[in-house]
Amino acid sequence: VVHVLGGFISESVHGIARDAAGRILATGYVEFPFTTNAIAARFLPDGSFDPSFSPPEGWSIIFFGMGNAIAEDPGTETVWVVGWADGVFIWRWNPAGGDPLVDEISVPGCQLAIGSAVAVQPDHRVLFAGDCAPSVFPPSDWQVFVGRLLADGSLDTTFGNGGFQIVSFDLVPPSRD
């Protein structure tokens, strides 16, 4: 099944997952002439858009940036997306209604951060991970981070150091001599 949303310069999927009901979740981006926006979608098992997700289309433009990973909390059917904009962004869609949560999260000690993975724990806390750099121009000394959110989307300050665990790898490229 191929879906073309139409009206965009390009569309791309960066992350997919399967929810507890067997539906397919996808995130990525759509490109307009002067901006790129993250998108999330849910498909029924036959490949058609699920109109109950972000009604009536079955897909939603989230935020400036790119969605990189998507996961569902099977206990609540809440969908979480992590991605990159000016920093790490988190998006939460709650099937019970209400406005989706969109939040940019600053990774301590990093000026550039890219969210690339998300998972939901059985206690409904949300793990997200990616890489970050202390400087933007040029980005260097990349580090790996893992953060954790509470079910309400706030940072879980009992995890790591203020909600984050950051690991630096002092990797030196092999010599070409």
Side-chain angles (χ1 to χ4, degrees), residues 62-63 69 79-85 87-93 100-105 115-118 126-129 145 147-150 152-155 164:
I62 300 171
F63 194 68
V79 175
W80 294 89
V81 172
V82 66
W84 173 82
V88 175
F89 82 80
I90 296 287
W91 180 76
R92 178 186 68 201
W93 180 79
L101 166 80
V102 176
D103 198 9
E104 282 193 88
I105 297 176
S116 57
V118 64
V126 179
L127 292 167
F128 61 100
F145 71 86
R148 189 165 70 187
L149 303 174
L150 300 172
D152 67 2
S154 62
L155 214 56
F164 288 94

PDB file of all heavy atoms in Angstrom, residues 62-63 69 79-85 87-93 100-105 115-118 126-129 145 147-150 152-155 164:
ATOM      1  N   ILE A  62       2.652  17.367  13.314  1.00  0.00           N
ATOM      2  CA  ILE A  62       2.926  17.556  14.733  1.00  0.00           C
ATOM      3  C   ILE A  62       3.569  18.894  15.022  1.00  0.00           C
ATOM      4  O   ILE A  62       3.090  19.679  15.826  1.00  0.00           O
ATOM      5  CB  ILE A  62       3.874  16.444  15.236  1.00  0.00           C
ATOM      6  CG1 ILE A  62       3.255  15.078  15.034  1.00  0.00           C
ATOM      7  CG2 ILE A  62       4.233  16.663  16.690  1.00  0.00           C
ATOM      8  CD1 ILE A  62       4.205  13.942  15.311  1.00  0.00           C
ATOM      9  N   PHE A  63       4.707  19.142  14.381  1.00  0.00           N
ATOM     10  CA  PHE A  63       5.609  20.162  14.881  1.00  0.00           C
ATOM     11  C   PHE A  63       6.676  20.390  13.826  1.00  0.00           C
ATOM     12  O   PHE A  63       6.962  19.510  13.024  1.00  0.00           O
ATOM     13  CB  PHE A  63       6.247  19.614  16.173  1.00  0.00           C
ATOM     14  CG  PHE A  63       6.967  20.602  17.029  1.00  0.00           C
ATOM     15  CD1 PHE A  63       6.279  21.598  17.684  1.00  0.00           C
ATOM     16  CD2 PHE A  63       8.335  20.505  17.215  1.00  0.00           C
ATOM     17  CE1 PHE A  63       6.938  22.492  18.501  1.00  0.00           C
ATOM     18  CE2 PHE A  63       8.997  21.386  18.035  1.00  0.00           C
ATOM     19  CZ  PHE A  63       8.294  22.386  18.678  1.00  0.00           C
ATOM     20  N   ALA A  69      10.999   8.335  15.927  1.00  0.00           N
ATOM     21  CA  ALA A  69      10.594   7.079  16.554  1.00  0.00           C
ATOM     22  C   ALA A  69       9.195   7.248  17.134  1.00  0.00           C
ATOM     23  O   ALA A  69       8.805   8.341  17.542  1.00  0.00           O
ATOM     24  CB  ALA A  69      11.583   6.689  17.646  1.00  0.00           C
ATOM     25  N   VAL A  79      -0.067   7.454  22.290  1.00  0.00           N
ATOM     26  CA  VAL A  79       1.012   7.344  21.307  1.00  0.00           C
ATOM     27  C   VAL A  79       2.052   8.415  21.600  1.00  0.00           C
ATOM     28  O   VAL A  79       1.719   9.581  21.825  1.00  0.00           O
ATOM     29  CB  VAL A  79       0.464   7.500  19.870  1.00  0.00           C
ATOM     30  CG1 VAL A  79       1.590   7.515  18.859  1.00  0.00           C
ATOM     31  CG2 VAL A  79      -0.515   6.367  19.558  1.00  0.00           C
ATOM     32  N   TRP A  80       3.325   8.018  21.598  1.00  0.00           N
ATOM     33  CA  TRP A  80       4.452   8.913  21.853  1.00  0.00           C
ATOM     34  C   TRP A  80       5.352   8.966  20.632  1.00  0.00           C
ATOM     35  O   TRP A  80       5.636   7.939  20.023  1.00  0.00           O
ATOM     36  CB  TRP A  80       5.267   8.412  23.039  1.00  0.00           C
ATOM     37  CG  TRP A  80       4.536   8.464  24.336  1.00  0.00           C
ATOM     38  CD1 TRP A  80       3.734   7.488  24.869  1.00  0.00           C
ATOM     39  CD2 TRP A  80       4.529   9.543  25.265  1.00  0.00           C
ATOM     40  NE1 TRP A  80       3.224   7.904  26.077  1.00  0.00           N
ATOM     41  CE2 TRP A  80       3.705   9.153  26.354  1.00  0.00           C
ATOM     42  CE3 TRP A  80       5.141  10.796  25.297  1.00  0.00           C
ATOM     43  CZ2 TRP A  80       3.483   9.983  27.438  1.00  0.00           C
ATOM     44  CZ3 TRP A  80       4.921  11.612  26.392  1.00  0.00           C
ATOM     45  CH2 TRP A  80       4.095  11.205  27.440  1.00  0.00           C
ATOM     46  N   VAL A  81       5.810  10.158  20.277  1.00  0.00           N
ATOM     47  CA  VAL A  81       6.767  10.357  19.183  1.00  0.00           C
ATOM     48  C   VAL A  81       7.935  11.163  19.730  1.00  0.00           C
ATOM     49  O   VAL A  81       7.737  12.122  20.479  1.00  0.00           O
ATOM     50  CB  VAL A  81       6.132  11.115  17.995  1.00  0.00           C
ATOM     51  CG1 VAL A  81       7.180  11.479  16.948  1.00  0.00           C
ATOM     52  CG2 VAL A  81       5.015  10.295  17.364  1.00  0.00           C
ATOM     53  N   VAL A  82       9.148  10.788  19.347  1.00  0.00           N
ATOM     54  CA  VAL A  82      10.329  11.577  19.671  1.00  0.00           C
ATOM     55  C   VAL A  82      10.997  11.938  18.349  1.00  0.00           C
ATOM     56  O   VAL A  82      10.945  11.193  17.375  1.00  0.00           O
ATOM     57  CB  VAL A  82      11.300  10.820  20.616  1.00  0.00           C
ATOM     58  CG1 VAL A  82      11.897   9.602  19.945  1.00  0.00           C
ATOM     59  CG2 VAL A  82      12.403  11.737  21.118  1.00  0.00           C
ATOM     60  N   GLY A  83      11.599  13.125  18.309  1.00  0.00           N
ATOM     61  CA  GLY A  83      12.239  13.556  17.079  1.00  0.00           C
ATOM     62  C   GLY A  83      13.170  14.713  17.306  1.00  0.00           C
ATOM     63  O   GLY A  83      13.644  14.961  18.424  1.00  0.00           O
ATOM     64  N   TRP A  84      13.398  15.429  16.251  1.00  0.00           N
ATOM     65  CA  TRP A  84      14.359  16.519  16.255  1.00  0.00           C
ATOM     66  C   TRP A  84      13.721  17.753  15.648  1.00  0.00           C
ATOM     67  O   TRP A  84      13.067  17.690  14.616  1.00  0.00           O
ATOM     68  CB  TRP A  84      15.594  16.119  15.456  1.00  0.00           C
ATOM     69  CG  TRP A  84      16.548  17.232  15.271  1.00  0.00           C
ATOM     70  CD1 TRP A  84      17.488  17.656  16.167  1.00  0.00           C
ATOM     71  CD2 TRP A  84      16.677  18.087  14.144  1.00  0.00           C
ATOM     72  NE1 TRP A  84      18.178  18.719  15.660  1.00  0.00           N
ATOM     73  CE2 TRP A  84      17.692  19.011  14.409  1.00  0.00           C
ATOM     74  CE3 TRP A  84      16.011  18.180  12.923  1.00  0.00           C
ATOM     75  CZ2 TRP A  84      18.078  19.997  13.513  1.00  0.00           C
ATOM     76  CZ3 TRP A  84      16.392  19.153  12.034  1.00  0.00           C
ATOM     77  CH2 TRP A  84      17.417  20.050  12.336  1.00  0.00           C
ATOM     78  N   ALA A  85      13.917  18.884  16.313  1.00  0.00           N
ATOM     79  CA  ALA A  85      13.523  20.198  15.780  1.00  0.00           C
ATOM     80  C   ALA A  85      14.712  21.099  16.075  1.00  0.00           C
ATOM     81  O   ALA A  85      15.781  20.877  15.546  1.00  0.00           O
ATOM     82  CB  ALA A  85      12.237  20.680  16.434  1.00  0.00           C
ATOM     83  N   GLY A  87      15.847  21.004  18.983  1.00  0.00           N
ATOM     84  CA  GLY A  87      16.352  20.120  20.020  1.00  0.00           C
ATOM     85  C   GLY A  87      15.478  18.882  19.990  1.00  0.00           C
ATOM     86  O   GLY A  87      14.786  18.628  19.012  1.00  0.00           O
ATOM     87  N   VAL A  88      15.478  18.126  21.047  1.00  0.00           N
ATOM     88  CA  VAL A  88      14.636  16.940  21.129  1.00  0.00           C
ATOM     89  C   VAL A  88      13.191  17.392  21.345  1.00  0.00           C
ATOM     90  O   VAL A  88      12.927  18.251  22.165  1.00  0.00           O
ATOM     91  CB  VAL A  88      15.075  16.047  22.307  1.00  0.00           C
ATOM     92  CG1 VAL A  88      14.133  14.864  22.473  1.00  0.00           C
ATOM     93  CG2 VAL A  88      16.500  15.578  22.118  1.00  0.00           C
ATOM     94  N   PHE A  89      12.262  16.824  20.578  1.00  0.00           N
ATOM     95  CA  PHE A  89      10.860  17.111  20.877  1.00  0.00           C
ATOM     96  C   PHE A  89      10.140  15.810  21.207  1.00  0.00           C
ATOM     97  O   PHE A  89      10.505  14.736  20.750  1.00  0.00           O
ATOM     98  CB  PHE A  89      10.154  17.877  19.752  1.00  0.00           C
ATOM     99  CG  PHE A  89       9.668  17.037  18.615  1.00  0.00           C
ATOM    100  CD1 PHE A  89       8.488  16.319  18.698  1.00  0.00           C
ATOM    101  CD2 PHE A  89      10.386  16.978  17.434  1.00  0.00           C
ATOM    102  CE1 PHE A  89       8.041  15.542  17.641  1.00  0.00           C
ATOM    103  CE2 PHE A  89       9.945  16.213  16.371  1.00  0.00           C
ATOM    104  CZ  PHE A  89       8.772  15.489  16.475  1.00  0.00           C
ATOM    105  N   ILE A  90       9.140  15.952  22.048  1.00  0.00           N
ATOM    106  CA  ILE A  90       8.272  14.852  22.446  1.00  0.00           C
ATOM    107  C   ILE A  90       6.855  15.246  22.058  1.00  0.00           C
ATOM    108  O   ILE A  90       6.424  16.369  22.298  1.00  0.00           O
ATOM    109  CB  ILE A  90       8.337  14.625  23.977  1.00  0.00           C
ATOM    110  CG1 ILE A  90       9.732  14.195  24.412  1.00  0.00           C
ATOM    111  CG2 ILE A  90       7.278  13.635  24.428  1.00  0.00           C
ATOM    112  CD1 ILE A  90      10.110  12.775  24.031  1.00  0.00           C
ATOM    113  N   TRP A  91       6.118  14.308  21.469  1.00  0.00           N
ATOM    114  CA  TRP A  91       4.708  14.522  21.126  1.00  0.00           C
ATOM    115  C   TRP A  91       3.910  13.382  21.733  1.00  0.00           C
ATOM    116  O   TRP A  91       4.327  12.219  21.664  1.00  0.00           O
ATOM    117  CB  TRP A  91       4.542  14.539  19.620  1.00  0.00           C
ATOM    118  CG  TRP A  91       3.148  14.762  19.119  1.00  0.00           C
ATOM    119  CD1 TRP A  91       2.471  15.949  19.092  1.00  0.00           C
ATOM    120  CD2 TRP A  91       2.262  13.792  18.547  1.00  0.00           C
ATOM    121  NE1 TRP A  91       1.223  15.768  18.530  1.00  0.00           N
ATOM    122  CE2 TRP A  91       1.076  14.461  18.192  1.00  0.00           C
ATOM    123  CE3 TRP A  91       2.368  12.431  18.296  1.00  0.00           C
ATOM    124  CZ2 TRP A  91      -0.007  13.811  17.608  1.00  0.00           C
ATOM    125  CZ3 TRP A  91       1.299  11.780  17.713  1.00  0.00           C
ATOM    126  CH2 TRP A  91       0.128  12.465  17.376  1.00  0.00           C
ATOM    127  N   ARG A  92       2.804  13.711  22.353  1.00  0.00           N
ATOM    128  CA  ARG A  92       1.940  12.693  22.947  1.00  0.00           C
ATOM    129  C   ARG A  92       0.528  12.891  22.429  1.00  0.00           C
ATOM    130  O   ARG A  92      -0.022  13.986  22.508  1.00  0.00           O
ATOM    131  CB  ARG A  92       1.950  12.808  24.468  1.00  0.00           C
ATOM    132  CG  ARG A  92       1.027  11.790  25.142  1.00  0.00           C
ATOM    133  CD  ARG A  92       0.931  12.023  26.635  1.00  0.00           C
ATOM    134  NE  ARG A  92       0.228  13.284  26.870  1.00  0.00           N
ATOM    135  CZ  ARG A  92       0.308  13.981  27.984  1.00  0.00           C
ATOM    136  NH1 ARG A  92       1.079  13.584  28.955  1.00  0.00           N
ATOM    137  NH2 ARG A  92      -0.373  15.100  28.122  1.00  0.00           N
ATOM    138  N   TRP A  93      -0.068  11.833  21.896  1.00  0.00           N
ATOM    139  CA  TRP A  93      -1.463  11.855  21.457  1.00  0.00           C
ATOM    140  C   TRP A  93      -2.245  10.931  22.378  1.00  0.00           C
ATOM    141  O   TRP A  93      -1.923   9.757  22.524  1.00  0.00           O
ATOM    142  CB  TRP A  93      -1.594  11.393  20.015  1.00  0.00           C
ATOM    143  CG  TRP A  93      -3.017  11.419  19.541  1.00  0.00           C
ATOM    144  CD1 TRP A  93      -3.720  12.515  19.142  1.00  0.00           C
ATOM    145  CD2 TRP A  93      -3.903  10.305  19.440  1.00  0.00           C
ATOM    146  NE1 TRP A  93      -4.998  12.151  18.795  1.00  0.00           N
ATOM    147  CE2 TRP A  93      -5.139  10.794  18.967  1.00  0.00           C
ATOM    148  CE3 TRP A  93      -3.790   8.953  19.700  1.00  0.00           C
ATOM    149  CZ2 TRP A  93      -6.233   9.983  18.749  1.00  0.00           C
ATOM    150  CZ3 TRP A  93      -4.886   8.134  19.486  1.00  0.00           C
ATOM    151  CH2 TRP A  93      -6.086   8.649  19.016  1.00  0.00           C
ATOM    152  N   PRO A 100      -2.924  17.436  22.147  1.00  0.00           N
ATOM    153  CA  PRO A 100      -1.694  16.656  22.261  1.00  0.00           C
ATOM    154  C   PRO A 100      -0.598  17.484  22.924  1.00  0.00           C
ATOM    155  O   PRO A 100      -0.547  18.698  22.770  1.00  0.00           O
ATOM    156  CB  PRO A 100      -1.325  16.349  20.812  1.00  0.00           C
ATOM    157  CG  PRO A 100      -2.517  16.659  19.997  1.00  0.00           C
ATOM    158  CD  PRO A 100      -3.314  17.660  20.773  1.00  0.00           C
ATOM    159  N   LEU A 101       0.244  16.808  23.676  1.00  0.00           N
ATOM    160  CA  LEU A 101       1.399  17.451  24.289  1.00  0.00           C
ATOM    161  C   LEU A 101       2.493  17.569  23.244  1.00  0.00           C
ATOM    162  O   LEU A 101       2.810  16.604  22.559  1.00  0.00           O
ATOM    163  CB  LEU A 101       1.912  16.604  25.459  1.00  0.00           C
ATOM    164  CG  LEU A 101       3.297  16.972  25.992  1.00  0.00           C
ATOM    165  CD1 LEU A 101       3.179  18.188  26.908  1.00  0.00           C
ATOM    166  CD2 LEU A 101       3.921  15.809  26.723  1.00  0.00           C
ATOM    167  N   VAL A 102       3.047  18.749  23.072  1.00  0.00           N
ATOM    168  CA  VAL A 102       4.246  18.941  22.261  1.00  0.00           C
ATOM    169  C   VAL A 102       5.216  19.706  23.133  1.00  0.00           C
ATOM    170  O   VAL A 102       4.890  20.764  23.663  1.00  0.00           O
ATOM    171  CB  VAL A 102       3.977  19.736  20.962  1.00  0.00           C
ATOM    172  CG1 VAL A 102       5.269  19.974  20.213  1.00  0.00           C
ATOM    173  CG2 VAL A 102       2.974  19.020  20.091  1.00  0.00           C
ATOM    174  N   ASP A 103       6.403  19.156  23.299  1.00  0.00           N
ATOM    175  CA  ASP A 103       7.357  19.801  24.181  1.00  0.00           C
ATOM    176  C   ASP A 103       8.763  19.620  23.627  1.00  0.00           C
ATOM    177  O   ASP A 103       9.109  18.544  23.154  1.00  0.00           O
ATOM    178  CB  ASP A 103       7.273  19.186  25.577  1.00  0.00           C
ATOM    179  CG  ASP A 103       7.901  20.050  26.654  1.00  0.00           C
ATOM    180  OD1 ASP A 103       8.252  21.210  26.358  1.00  0.00           O
ATOM    181  OD2 ASP A 103       8.035  19.563  27.777  1.00  0.00           O
ATOM    182  N   GLU A 104       9.536  20.687  23.667  1.00  0.00           N
ATOM    183  CA  GLU A 104      10.960  20.576  23.353  1.00  0.00           C
ATOM    184  C   GLU A 104      11.693  20.394  24.665  1.00  0.00           C
ATOM    185  O   GLU A 104      11.403  21.070  25.645  1.00  0.00           O
ATOM    186  CB  GLU A 104      11.462  21.825  22.642  1.00  0.00           C
ATOM    187  CG  GLU A 104      11.084  21.846  21.190  1.00  0.00           C
ATOM    188  CD  GLU A 104      11.851  22.905  20.436  1.00  0.00           C
ATOM    189  OE1 GLU A 104      12.957  22.619  19.963  1.00  0.00           O
ATOM    190  OE2 GLU A 104      11.312  24.014  20.346  1.00  0.00           O
ATOM    191  N   ILE A 105      12.625  19.472  24.668  1.00  0.00           N
ATOM    192  CA  ILE A 105      13.340  19.136  25.887  1.00  0.00           C
ATOM    193  C   ILE A 105      14.813  19.430  25.695  1.00  0.00           C
ATOM    194  O   ILE A 105      15.419  19.002  24.709  1.00  0.00           O
ATOM    195  CB  ILE A 105      13.132  17.652  26.241  1.00  0.00           C
ATOM    196  CG1 ILE A 105      11.645  17.415  26.514  1.00  0.00           C
ATOM    197  CG2 ILE A 105      13.987  17.245  27.424  1.00  0.00           C
ATOM    198  CD1 ILE A 105      11.290  15.991  26.767  1.00  0.00           C
ATOM    199  N   GLY A 115      16.578  13.345  19.082  1.00  0.00           N
ATOM    200  CA  GLY A 115      15.893  12.182  19.636  1.00  0.00           C
ATOM    201  C   GLY A 115      15.726  11.129  18.571  1.00  0.00           C
ATOM    202  O   GLY A 115      15.286  11.427  17.462  1.00  0.00           O
ATOM    203  N   SER A 116      16.087   9.878  18.870  1.00  0.00           N
ATOM    204  CA  SER A 116      16.027   8.847  17.838  1.00  0.00           C
ATOM    205  C   SER A 116      15.350   7.550  18.270  1.00  0.00           C
ATOM    206  O   SER A 116      15.169   6.666  17.444  1.00  0.00           O
ATOM    207  CB  SER A 116      17.441   8.542  17.334  1.00  0.00           C
ATOM    208  OG  SER A 116      18.272   8.148  18.412  1.00  0.00           O
ATOM    209  N   ALA A 117      14.970   7.415  19.544  1.00  0.00           N
ATOM    210  CA  ALA A 117      14.319   6.188  20.001  1.00  0.00           C
ATOM    211  C   ALA A 117      13.346   6.517  21.127  1.00  0.00           C
ATOM    212  O   ALA A 117      13.565   7.454  21.896  1.00  0.00           O
ATOM    213  CB  ALA A 117      15.371   5.191  20.492  1.00  0.00           C
ATOM    214  N   VAL A 118      12.273   5.730  21.216  1.00  0.00           N
ATOM    215  CA  VAL A 118      11.284   5.909  22.287  1.00  0.00           C
ATOM    216  C   VAL A 118      10.710   4.539  22.642  1.00  0.00           C
ATOM    217  O   VAL A 118      10.523   3.691  21.767  1.00  0.00           O
ATOM    218  CB  VAL A 118      10.169   6.909  21.889  1.00  0.00           C
ATOM    219  CG1 VAL A 118       9.344   6.406  20.731  1.00  0.00           C
ATOM    220  CG2 VAL A 118       9.297   7.275  23.072  1.00  0.00           C
ATOM    221  N   VAL A 126       8.071   6.870  30.096  1.00  0.00           N
ATOM    222  CA  VAL A 126       8.521   6.859  28.703  1.00  0.00           C
ATOM    223  C   VAL A 126      10.029   7.091  28.642  1.00  0.00           C
ATOM    224  O   VAL A 126      10.526   8.115  29.121  1.00  0.00           O
ATOM    225  CB  VAL A 126       7.790   7.956  27.891  1.00  0.00           C
ATOM    226  CG1 VAL A 126       8.269   7.964  26.454  1.00  0.00           C
ATOM    227  CG2 VAL A 126       6.281   7.745  27.973  1.00  0.00           C
ATOM    228  N   LEU A 127      10.742   6.148  28.049  1.00  0.00           N
ATOM    229  CA  LEU A 127      12.177   6.302  27.810  1.00  0.00           C
ATOM    230  C   LEU A 127      12.376   6.865  26.418  1.00  0.00           C
ATOM    231  O   LEU A 127      11.677   6.461  25.470  1.00  0.00           O
ATOM    232  CB  LEU A 127      12.885   4.950  27.908  1.00  0.00           C
ATOM    233  CG  LEU A 127      12.940   4.318  29.284  1.00  0.00           C
ATOM    234  CD1 LEU A 127      13.375   2.863  29.180  1.00  0.00           C
ATOM    235  CD2 LEU A 127      13.877   5.100  30.180  1.00  0.00           C
ATOM    236  N   PHE A 128      13.298   7.795  26.281  1.00  0.00           N
ATOM    237  CA  PHE A 128      13.660   8.296  24.958  1.00  0.00           C
ATOM    238  C   PHE A 128      15.168   8.457  24.925  1.00  0.00           C
ATOM    239  O   PHE A 128      15.819   8.651  25.948  1.00  0.00           O
ATOM    240  CB  PHE A 128      12.930   9.604  24.621  1.00  0.00           C
ATOM    241  CG  PHE A 128      13.233  10.746  25.556  1.00  0.00           C
ATOM    242  CD1 PHE A 128      14.150  11.728  25.190  1.00  0.00           C
ATOM    243  CD2 PHE A 128      12.599  10.849  26.789  1.00  0.00           C
ATOM    244  CE1 PHE A 128      14.426  12.783  26.044  1.00  0.00           C
ATOM    245  CE2 PHE A 128      12.869  11.903  27.642  1.00  0.00           C
ATOM    246  CZ  PHE A 128      13.790  12.871  27.269  1.00  0.00           C
ATOM    247  N   ALA A 129      15.734   8.323  23.745  1.00  0.00           N
ATOM    248  CA  ALA A 129      17.192   8.341  23.626  1.00  0.00           C
ATOM    249  C   ALA A 129      17.604   9.004  22.325  1.00  0.00           C
ATOM    250  O   ALA A 129      16.806   9.178  21.407  1.00  0.00           O
ATOM    251  CB  ALA A 129      17.734   6.911  23.682  1.00  0.00           C
ATOM    252  N   PHE A 145      22.495  10.000  24.992  1.00  0.00           N
ATOM    253  CA  PHE A 145      21.670  10.273  26.168  1.00  0.00           C
ATOM    254  C   PHE A 145      20.452   9.358  26.191  1.00  0.00           C
ATOM    255  O   PHE A 145      19.975   8.901  25.157  1.00  0.00           O
ATOM    256  CB  PHE A 145      21.210  11.735  26.221  1.00  0.00           C
ATOM    257  CG  PHE A 145      20.190  12.092  25.182  1.00  0.00           C
ATOM    258  CD1 PHE A 145      18.836  11.873  25.413  1.00  0.00           C
ATOM    259  CD2 PHE A 145      20.573  12.644  23.970  1.00  0.00           C
ATOM    260  CE1 PHE A 145      17.889  12.199  24.454  1.00  0.00           C
ATOM    261  CE2 PHE A 145      19.638  12.975  23.011  1.00  0.00           C
ATOM    262  CZ  PHE A 145      18.287  12.743  23.254  1.00  0.00           C
ATOM    263  N   GLY A 147      16.733   9.643  28.355  1.00  0.00           N
ATOM    264  CA  GLY A 147      15.912  10.417  29.274  1.00  0.00           C
ATOM    265  C   GLY A 147      14.666   9.638  29.625  1.00  0.00           C
ATOM    266  O   GLY A 147      14.307   8.680  28.937  1.00  0.00           O
ATOM    267  N   ARG A 148      14.010  10.042  30.696  1.00  0.00           N
ATOM    268  CA  ARG A 148      12.766   9.373  31.055  1.00  0.00           C
ATOM    269  C   ARG A 148      11.729  10.399  31.468  1.00  0.00           C
ATOM    270  O   ARG A 148      12.021  11.347  32.196  1.00  0.00           O
ATOM    271  CB  ARG A 148      12.983   8.362  32.176  1.00  0.00           C
ATOM    272  CG  ARG A 148      11.743   7.510  32.419  1.00  0.00           C
ATOM    273  CD  ARG A 148      12.008   6.292  33.241  1.00  0.00           C
ATOM    274  NE  ARG A 148      12.307   6.648  34.620  1.00  0.00           N
ATOM    275  CZ  ARG A 148      12.704   5.774  35.536  1.00  0.00           C
ATOM    276  NH1 ARG A 148      12.869   4.506  35.205  1.00  0.00           N
ATOM    277  NH2 ARG A 148      12.941   6.173  36.772  1.00  0.00           N
ATOM    278  N   LEU A 149      10.506  10.190  30.984  1.00  0.00           N
ATOM    279  CA  LEU A 149       9.362  11.036  31.301  1.00  0.00           C
ATOM    280  C   LEU A 149       8.374  10.263  32.157  1.00  0.00           C
ATOM    281  O   LEU A 149       8.270   9.037  32.045  1.00  0.00           O
ATOM    282  CB  LEU A 149       8.634  11.467  30.030  1.00  0.00           C
ATOM    283  CG  LEU A 149       9.428  12.196  28.962  1.00  0.00           C
ATOM    284  CD1 LEU A 149       8.563  12.394  27.721  1.00  0.00           C
ATOM    285  CD2 LEU A 149       9.935  13.519  29.484  1.00  0.00           C
ATOM    286  N   LEU A 150       7.634  10.995  32.961  1.00  0.00           N
ATOM    287  CA  LEU A 150       6.488  10.415  33.649  1.00  0.00           C
ATOM    288  C   LEU A 150       5.337  10.316  32.651  1.00  0.00           C
ATOM    289  O   LEU A 150       5.380  10.907  31.560  1.00  0.00           O
ATOM    290  CB  LEU A 150       6.106  11.282  34.841  1.00  0.00           C
ATOM    291  CG  LEU A 150       7.205  11.448  35.898  1.00  0.00           C
ATOM    292  CD1 LEU A 150       6.778  12.476  36.940  1.00  0.00           C
ATOM    293  CD2 LEU A 150       7.536  10.115  36.545  1.00  0.00           C
ATOM    294  N   ASP A 152       2.631  11.775  32.488  1.00  0.00           N
ATOM    295  CA  ASP A 152       2.037  13.069  32.146  1.00  0.00           C
ATOM    296  C   ASP A 152       2.916  13.899  31.214  1.00  0.00           C
ATOM    297  O   ASP A 152       2.562  15.010  30.834  1.00  0.00           O
ATOM    298  CB  ASP A 152       1.695  13.868  33.400  1.00  0.00           C
ATOM    299  CG  ASP A 152       2.924  14.324  34.188  1.00  0.00           C
ATOM    300  OD1 ASP A 152       4.078  14.071  33.763  1.00  0.00           O
ATOM    301  OD2 ASP A 152       2.726  14.950  35.244  1.00  0.00           O
ATOM    302  N   GLY A 153       4.091  13.371  30.850  1.00  0.00           N
ATOM    303  CA  GLY A 153       4.985  14.073  29.928  1.00  0.00           C
ATOM    304  C   GLY A 153       6.054  14.904  30.600  1.00  0.00           C
ATOM    305  O   GLY A 153       6.911  15.468  29.933  1.00  0.00           O
ATOM    306  N   SER A 154       6.033  14.998  31.918  1.00  0.00           N
ATOM    307  CA  SER A 154       7.075  15.758  32.610  1.00  0.00           C
ATOM    308  C   SER A 154       8.314  14.884  32.812  1.00  0.00           C
ATOM    309  O   SER A 154       8.222  13.656  32.864  1.00  0.00           O
ATOM    310  CB  SER A 154       6.555  16.290  33.952  1.00  0.00           C
ATOM    311  OG  SER A 154       6.207  15.218  34.802  1.00  0.00           O
ATOM    312  N   LEU A 155       9.463  15.537  32.934  1.00  0.00           N
ATOM    313  CA  LEU A 155      10.724  14.840  33.121  1.00  0.00           C
ATOM    314  C   LEU A 155      10.721  14.092  34.455  1.00  0.00           C
ATOM    315  O   LEU A 155      10.306  14.633  35.476  1.00  0.00           O
ATOM    316  CB  LEU A 155      11.863  15.862  33.092  1.00  0.00           C
ATOM    317  CG  LEU A 155      13.179  15.415  32.493  1.00  0.00           C
ATOM    318  CD1 LEU A 155      13.019  14.904  31.074  1.00  0.00           C
ATOM    319  CD2 LEU A 155      14.173  16.559  32.509  1.00  0.00           C
ATOM    320  N   PHE A 164      18.012  12.541  33.062  1.00  0.00           N
ATOM    321  CA  PHE A 164      18.866  12.105  31.947  1.00  0.00           C
ATOM    322  C   PHE A 164      20.055  11.291  32.435  1.00  0.00           C
ATOM    323  O   PHE A 164      20.593  11.530  33.512  1.00  0.00           O
ATOM    324  CB  PHE A 164      19.439  13.316  31.190  1.00  0.00           C
ATOM    325  CG  PHE A 164      18.435  14.028  30.370  1.00  0.00           C
ATOM    326  CD1 PHE A 164      17.751  15.115  30.883  1.00  0.00           C
ATOM    327  CD2 PHE A 164      18.162  13.630  29.077  1.00  0.00           C
ATOM    328  CE1 PHE A 164      16.817  15.786  30.130  1.00  0.00           C
ATOM    329  CE2 PHE A 164      17.228  14.291  28.314  1.00  0.00           C
ATOM    330  CZ  PHE A 164      16.550  15.379  28.836  1.00  0.00           C
TER     331      PHE A 164
END
